[in-house]
Amino acid sequence: MNVTDTRESTAARVNLLDFDHAALTEWCASIGEKPFRATQLSRWLHRHVECDFDKMTNLAKVFRAKLKDLAEVRSPQPIAEKKSADGTRKWLFDVGNGNAVESVFIPEDDRGTLCISTQAGCAMGCLFCSTGKQGFNRNLSTSEIVGQLWYAERELRQDRGVTDPNDRIISNVVLMGMGEPLQNLDNVIPALRLFLDDNGYGLSRRRVTVSTSGLVRQIDKLAEAAPVALAVSLHAGNDELRDRLMPVNRKHPLKDLMAACRRYLDVAPRDFITFEYVMLGGINDSLADADELVELVRRERVPCKFNLIPFNPFTESDLKKPDREAVLAFCRRLNDAGIVTTVRKTRGDDIDAACGQLAGEVKDRTRRAERLREQKAEAAVYFQKKQN
Ligand code: SAH
Ligand code: SF4
């Protein structure tokens, strides 16, 4: 199966998945092509999820020849893929130098959500996070971010036999995979623009969510450049506990974060902020903790919803899952106080689908390189089987 441009990559060729519409138009102009050509090309790339220039039949032959010469369509390549019994799919993408990032597709009755990564590793060092434990490797490029969506949509369509470019399987995108999206705004903003662009993926701003650990100035930048739905990882209702769980809080304490949330609401596509709250057994899961959250959001006047995420344990952490009863009681307490609260369903449990989980299994570089080799071998067998 030709899943991406199969020609040898050369440094001279530009990767078209790196361009938002403005950049694509500019690049087309630089090779003597009119703006409407960029629009046509963009529709082939992102609506038809096509990478074969010969199939882009409404493009002039001369333009196609230039494309073959100068450009390529290169998404990151998966080294492992898992399918859960509940329809959840997960890809582990190779991003070079022994680094891999994950994307997870979660099908539901009325939508299909893709969770994508923005960095290889993460520098924020949150105590409960498997990605954080790996440390920071590097920012993903725009094409590596867009390529996760491009690849997943293409793969899912092929599996389901969907050919109509208007029939999209992925209706929602959440930047909740590995990494802190707001630490990679240079590459995340063009990717978001492509997700929203009518000639790109055409998603509404309400269906694209950026999740952040709480980088205050960057929340303002996002508001200016691409105001999509915002999720903020809160995890504590007071600075003392949040300082311990999330080092970012020492720089941007709750008061500043809440003020940034209020400012964001002026431009947000929804009239509330989603607060994510990882529930850690015996640490932040008591009813007193719930009451403190209610008090915080009332005092700070931030209209919000809460999404409770029961902690997902991993090898290097001795933090504990909360009891089921504690989660339900916590959820009830917030709902009773008038704050819409949901508990994140565990999906794809059989494939470690929580973001950061699969890559997090392989922590140090040597073990990771070893594991990557194994996964490449597994993937080769998988693709061979698929082709036969
Ligand atoms: N860096 C961004 C987005 C990626 S993390 C952020 O922190 O918001 C996405 C979500 O997964 C965050 O809310 C994060 O707190 C949560 N998370 C991280 N590790 C987890 C774990 N082990 N169990 C449950 N949720 C976790
Ligand atoms: Fe980074 Fe988010 Fe993990 Fe914190 S929770 S270490 S910000 S990926």
Side-chain angles (χ1 to χ4, degrees), residues 219-251:
I219 291 176
D220 290 335
K221 282 192 183 153
L222 182 70
E224 225 179 278
V228 294
L230 184 68
V232 171
S233 297
L234 198 57
H235 311 328
N238 66 71
D239 282 319
E240 197 194 339
L241 179 57
R242 200 163 187 272
D243 277 355
R244 273 204 289 139
L245 298 176
M246 309 174 72
V248 65
N249 196 67
R250 296 174 205 157
K251 205 160 167 210

Side-chain angles (χ1 to χ4, degrees), residues 128-130 175-177 179-181 211-213 233 235 276 278 309-312 314 344 357:
F128 46 81
C129 176
S130 149
L175 274 59
M176 288 185 187
E180 169 50 58
S211 173
T212 179
S213 56
S233 297
H235 311 328
E276 295 162 276
V278 172
I309 317 171
F311 173 62
N312 214 315
F314 53 98
R344 183 169 302 171
Q357 209 78 13

